[in-house]
Amino acid sequence: MIKMENLDTDIKKIINSAYPYIKDFNPAQKAVIESGYLEDDSNYIISIPTASGKTILGILPALKTILNNGKAVYAAPLLSIQNEKIKEFKAFEENGINVGKHPSSADLSVMVFESFDALTRFSWNTLRDVDTLIIDEFHMIGEYTRGPTLEAAITRAKIINPKMRIIALSATLKNIEEIESWLEGTCVEHDYRPVPLHKEVLDAEMFNTKNKNDVIVKIVEKAIKDKSQALAFVSTRRFTESLATYVAKKINKKINKKQRKRFKEVSDKLLEVPKKKGSLPTSTCLKLAEAAELGVAFHHAGLFNEQKEIIEDEFRKGNILMITATPSLMYGVNLPSKTVVIRDHTRWTNNGPQPIPVFDYEQMSGRAGRPQYDDVGYSYIIAKTMEEAQNLEEYYVEGDVEQTNSKLVDNKDAIYKQIIAQIASSLSKNLDELTDFFKKTFYGYQMSNNPSMGTFAEYSLVYELESALEFLLQNGIIRATPEGFKTTDFGNLIAKSNYAVETAVKIKEYISGIDEINVEEFIYALSETPDLPLISFKGRKSKDPVRDKLSESGLFAVDIGNPEATTVSLIEWINERSEYEIENKYNVYSASTRRSAYEASRLVKFAKNTSEVLGNYSNLKDYDLLSARLYYGVKTDIIPLVVGVKRLGRKRARNLVNIFGNDLSNVSENELQKVEGIGPKLAEKISLFVKN
């Protein structure tokens, strides 16, 4: 089994049983282990390529800690990664190691960055029990949304639990010395990749075509011959669909009988998802199933979650030849493939189309070559002309990744949130103490060590903090007292939530200005907050149906965009329309309606809590009703039925009421079973509920 002699016997035994396929460590892993990081107690940054086995290098010190009766936290950026790692680490439980999501109840807990941040704010005793913190995807410290949360959580953790050891697992970083100094750690770098990666630029002219999609068809045809798979990254949802459809049609004749049978099974599974949810397949579902029947699937946020899971699982099993996806997939689930194609090297921003960062190119390319399956990986970036190909070669294939910079001050919400966190946890009571904390963050370190900014660093930081404090005071989130700043009840509510401060302020302003809840208007207000996942338009068809529905609901909008599409979809959802009906009428990605409705339902609960802390108790029942309507997608009359009878669902509940009326007390179980989809068990549950 594992031949590393300098590995503790107990740790070796656990690794051998949890990872039986690992016969020995690879050169990158050996280099890290031989650096002495397991014997040393200081902080470490392990910077090796994607797919080089970073997880094991994080797990080794975690196991050492746990075997010495300590606790370890493994922090990851996304829920999908958290779930994947928990599943992987559950194998340790055979050796008596408790794996969970929170260090108060587990030896090894896997937490998303936001949950770990909450630990540093509210659970200091638990935080002080954590001996080792492993940070996965540490390079995300330079990312706009999650980066500031991570750097502030690390800064706070180091203050509250200075003995805690940090092991940061990262892809290649450019300004590693700077990060080493800030983290007070040692970096071990290695460039070994278990599966060699060939990076190339292909151009359409090489293949005598003007169409980049034809180049991708050639790549997929080669993959069919090699019995391998491909992942293609494009910039928008619409492009994932058009590319999948195009490739599927072109490779139709290259697919054999056996493959057709497997692909048809995948296609049928994908079509079952909406049916199980009581909706006819939407046009997006039909398009997906049609492409999947020929071995190609698209993957984006506008699909049902279950469909995305089917695509991921079937791809891993080899039952899909190619997935076309938006770049968000590079940070999500572990979906490596022998070949990665990057068709779109620009993405749309507020400043128009911009080239993707070299870092993102590296992350997408890194998906090529599966350690347990392939002996080589191929990454192709596609150009239109030979001239463009030369530029891309220079910029991406031969270029350096960008410097990792803190986004803490660029992201206004992050500053607000971290000030609230500092004040709510009583770590900072005045401007000086806040300045002191922010100087310890990665942002503070970069500012004060930047030769051109050093002199103005503190002045600039104080200015940012003063502006933020003024905003928080004006909006009743913090208050000034003789003892220093304190959070108000509203501020405490924000501190305990993961919502953007802008969301909380918008909700507070809306509910402060109303006497009673206007359901449609309130849903529109929620759709304009940054925390509601938006339902987007599918294409350039007329937006008039959305405008008409808004005006029918007494709402007026100048521009019709995704917030308006979301508002209308949610209004239809709580009036019991199916995804199929919503998509057909409004030309939107309706499969994400349930996700938006679930988040809207939680936001309504937050609005209820806000109302309570503001001392307004008049509409509390209405908040509960709207929250339930959004969650279940029902009109008010069947809320008791869908809440009271688990797994009944809105469609069957409505059928019951349509057939028997609202009073089911005299309906026998036999009669109930005559309703479509109601079997003996469900009939018994309904009877029990009605009698109680």
Side-chain angles (χ1 to χ4, degrees):
M1 290 300 233
I2 289 170
K3 299 167 195 158
M4 294 299 295
E5 274 69 40
N6 56 347
L7 208 58
D8 178 272
T9 317
D10 292 339
I11 292 177
K12 198 188 292 188
K13 185 180 146 229
I14 295 168
I15 294 291
N16 282 336
S17 72
Y19 301 97
Y21 54 86
I22 298 178
K23 304 302 176 200
D24 196 4
F25 289 129
N26 66 43
Q29 292 170 325
K30 281 180 180 170
V32 174
I33 291 166
E34 283 160 8
S35 74
Y37 91 123
L38 282 172
E39 291 74 52
D40 191 349
D41 276 341
S42 59
N43 297 338
Y44 269 78
I45 302 143
I46 295 163
S47 176
I48 59 177
T50 306
S52 300
K54 286 193 280 281
T55 301
I56 291 284
L57 294 170
I59 278 305
L60 292 174
L63 292 175
K64 183 186 170 191
T65 295
I66 292 161
L67 292 173
N68 287 329
N69 297 317
K71 281 181 186 274
V73 166
Y74 190 103
L78 302 167
L79 278 169
S80 54
I81 299 176
Q82 181 189 38
N83 295 333
E84 208 173 84
K85 295 299 176 196
I86 285 178
K87 213 187 272 182
E88 182 181 324
F89 300 157
K90 279 287 175 188
F92 301 148
E93 295 199 330
E94 286 177 24
N95 289 279
I97 291 168
N98 192 355
V99 175
K101 289 184 179 180
H102 201 276
S104 58
S105 55
D107 304 316
L108 173 60
S109 34
V110 186
M111 306 180 87
V112 288
F113 292 165
E114 288 79 5
S115 303
F116 181 70
D117 181 44
L119 195 69
T120 69
R121 291 184 275 146
F122 301 110
S123 309
W124 293 357
N125 289 339
T126 308
L127 180 67
R128 287 187 183 112
D129 287 340
V130 177
D131 303 282
T132 302
L133 168 67
I134 317 297
I135 304 167
D136 199 1
E137 309 276 354
F138 175 73
H139 43 259
M140 285 187 86
I141 198 155
E143 192 252 353
Y144 182 80
T145 48
R146 289 185 167 86
T149 303
L150 177 60
E151 73 169 278
I154 292 171
T155 308
R156 229 178 342 264
K158 283 172 75 182
I159 294 166
I160 295 159
N161 182 1
K163 291 188 188 132
M164 184 177 71
R165 185 181 189 208
I166 298 170
I167 309 281
L169 310 174
S170 179
T172 312
L173 294 165
K174 190 174 182 185
N175 45 324
I176 203 73
E177 293 82 6
E178 193 175 33
I179 292 164
E180 270 183 323
S181 299
W182 173 67
L183 208 56
E184 298 167 304
T186 307
C187 178
V188 186
E189 288 183 277
H190 204 281
D191 59 4
Y192 171 79
R193 219 179 170 272
V195 180
L197 177 59
H198 290 289
K199 296 179 190 168
E200 275 184 69
V201 183
L202 302 179
D203 65 80
E205 285 177 4
M206 281 179 189
F207 297 88
N208 296 320
T209 176
K210 287 179 180 170
N211 185 348
K212 294 207 281 190
N213 290 353
D214 286 332
V215 180
I216 297 172
V217 171
K218 297 278 183 227
I219 293 167
V220 177
E221 285 173 350
K222 184 179 181 298
I224 294 171
K225 276 186 195 162
D226 293 351
K227 294 190 168 61
S228 67
Q229 295 163 288
L231 265 179
F233 289 105
V234 292
S235 57
T236 68
R237 291 181 192 183
R238 213 166 71 240
F239 288 158
T240 66
E241 295 181 14
S242 57
L243 177 60
T245 304
Y246 188 86
V247 173
K249 280 178 185 160
K250 291 279 186 179
I251 61 169
N252 188 355
K253 293 192 173 112
K254 308 272 178 184
I255 297 166
N256 64 40
K257 220 173 181 181
K258 199 174 164 190
Q259 285 173 313
R260 277 181 202 281
K261 187 172 178 287
R262 284 183 9 236
F263 298 159
K264 178 76 171 84
E265 284 168 10
V266 175
S267 175
D268 291 344
K269 274 188 195 176
L270 292 166
L271 278 180
E272 273 301 304
V273 172
K275 287 177 195 164
K276 281 182 182 168
K277 293 178 173 293
S279 171
L280 286 168
T282 64
S283 59
T284 307
C285 294
L286 293 170
K287 199 186 278 186
L288 175 64
E290 210 174 298
E293 219 170 297
L294 296 168
V296 186
F298 51 82
H299 185 294
H300 61 56
L303 300 178
F304 288 100
N305 282 340
E306 294 85 344
Q307 287 175 328
K308 286 189 279 188
E309 282 164 23
I310 290 167
I311 293 164
E312 290 155 16
D313 291 342
E314 296 296 339
F315 188 75
R316 287 190 194 103
K317 289 177 193 165
N319 296 332
I320 292 173
L321 292 171
M322 179 170 90
I323 292 178
T324 62
T326 47
S328 56
L329 189 68
M330 69 179 166
Y331 279 127
V333 284
N334 182 24
L335 262 196
S337 155
K338 185 169 187 173
T339 303
V340 163
V341 184
I342 299 156
R343 190 195 73 176
D344 301 343
H345 37 84
T346 57
R347 76 178 52 139
W348 192 258
T349 69
N350 294 339
N351 304 319
Q354 297 291 327
I356 59 169
V358 179
F359 190 88
D360 286 7
Y361 163 74
E362 291 287 346
Q363 287 292 102
M364 289 186 261
S365 294
R367 288 290 168 114
R370 300 163 300 171
Q372 289 164 60
Y373 306 95
D374 303 322
D375 49 11
V376 65
Y378 295 97
S379 156
Y380 301 112
I381 188 164
I382 315 289
K384 267 192 174 165
T385 62
M386 284 171 76
E387 191 187 344
E388 187 183 42
Q390 281 175 327
N391 294 337
L392 293 177
E393 175 91 26
E394 211 174 284
Y395 190 77
Y396 289 110
V397 182
E398 290 161 14
D400 285 336
V401 296
E402 295 79 9
Q403 187 151 316
T404 301
N405 290 321
S406 167
K407 300 292 187 298
L408 184 55
V409 170
D410 296 357
N411 183 337
K412 276 279 172 279
D413 188 60
I415 286 211
Y416 295 152
K417 268 184 160 158
Q418 295 308 331
I419 291 174
I420 297 167
Q422 284 298 105
I423 295 170
S425 57
S426 69
L427 280 171
S428 302
K429 293 186 272 307
N430 53 45
L431 182 60
D432 287 348
E433 289 177 3
L434 281 167
T435 308
D436 210 39
F437 170 76
F438 276 87
K439 274 161 76 177
K440 290 180 176 136
T441 62
F442 184 42
Y443 165 77
Y445 181 87
Q446 283 194 308
M447 285 285 279
S448 49
N449 287 279
N450 180 330
S452 59
M453 295 294 290
T455 329
F456 304 105
E458 191 162 339
Y459 171 78
S460 161
L461 177 59
V462 169
Y463 172 77
E464 292 289 350
L465 291 174
E466 281 178 339
S467 310
L469 284 167
E470 196 177 321
F471 173 85
L472 297 172
L473 284 161
Q474 275 174 353
N475 285 284
I477 295 165
I478 60 170
R479 59 197 172 90
T481 74
E483 297 83 51
F485 291 123
K486 289 201 172 140
T487 38
T488 60
D489 290 343
F490 178 48
N492 286 329
L493 193 63
I494 297 172
K496 288 191 170 74
S497 82
N498 273 327
Y499 291 132
V501 176
E502 184 191 330
T503 296
V505 168
K506 277 190 169 174
I507 286 176
K508 180 192 171 196
E509 281 173 356
Y510 176 78
I511 63 180
S512 301
I514 57 164
D515 294 324
E516 56 186 53
I517 293 174
N518 172 323
V519 167
E520 292 83 1
E521 192 180 75
F522 189 25
I523 289 173
Y524 193 12
L526 295 179
S527 297
E528 290 187 303
T529 67
D531 282 292
L532 189 70
L534 296 179
I535 298 162
S536 56
F537 282 103
K538 283 170 63 184
R540 294 198 176 92
K541 278 190 189 169
S542 167
K543 295 178 178 178
D544 288 346
V546 166
R547 192 186 294 280
D548 294 345
K549 182 67 187 174
L550 287 171
S551 58
E552 182 194 307
S553 307
L555 302 170
F556 173 73
V558 179
D559 296 317
I560 302 293
N562 293 342
E564 289 69 32
T566 307
T567 303
V568 164
S569 301
L570 293 180
I571 290 170
E572 294 286 28
W573 171 251
I574 62 173
N575 286 311
E576 299 178 26
R577 301 276 183 274
S578 69
E579 285 91 345
Y580 171 80
E581 291 168 317
I582 294 168
E583 180 166 311
N584 274 3
K585 193 168 178 187
Y586 302 107
N587 190 43
V588 295
Y589 282 113
S590 62
S592 50
T593 304
R594 283 168 203 255
R595 182 176 168 232
S596 289
Y598 170 70
E599 292 301 341
S601 148
R602 292 182 63 217
L603 280 167
V604 172
K605 283 183 181 164
F606 180 79
K608 180 192 176 185
N609 296 338
T610 304
S611 200
E612 284 177 317
V613 300
L614 296 177
N616 180 351
Y617 304 102
S618 54
N619 296 312
L620 301 187
K621 191 163 175 272
D622 294 336
Y623 290 117
D624 288 336
L625 281 175
L626 179 55
S627 182
R629 286 187 69 190
L630 284 158
Y631 186 86
Y632 293 100
V634 293
K635 295 176 183 171
T636 313
D637 64 321
I638 60 169
I639 288 175
L641 204 49
V642 289
V643 173
V645 184
K646 269 193 175 168
R647 303 198 190 286
L648 176 63
R650 63 187 195 149
K651 200 176 175 188
R652 288 182 292 210
R654 179 54 64 202
N655 283 346
L656 280 172
V657 170
N658 285 348
I659 295 166
F660 301 113
N662 284 85
D663 183 7
L664 303 175
S665 53
N666 297 317
V667 183
S668 70
E669 286 183 30
N670 280 342
E671 283 177 292
L672 289 171
Q673 285 179 56
K674 287 175 187 166
V675 176
E676 192 190 341
I678 294 179
K681 279 187 177 173
L682 202 48
E684 189 187 346
K685 278 186 187 173
I686 296 163
S687 282
L688 272 171
F689 168 71
V690 172
K691 281 165 190 158
N692 290 336

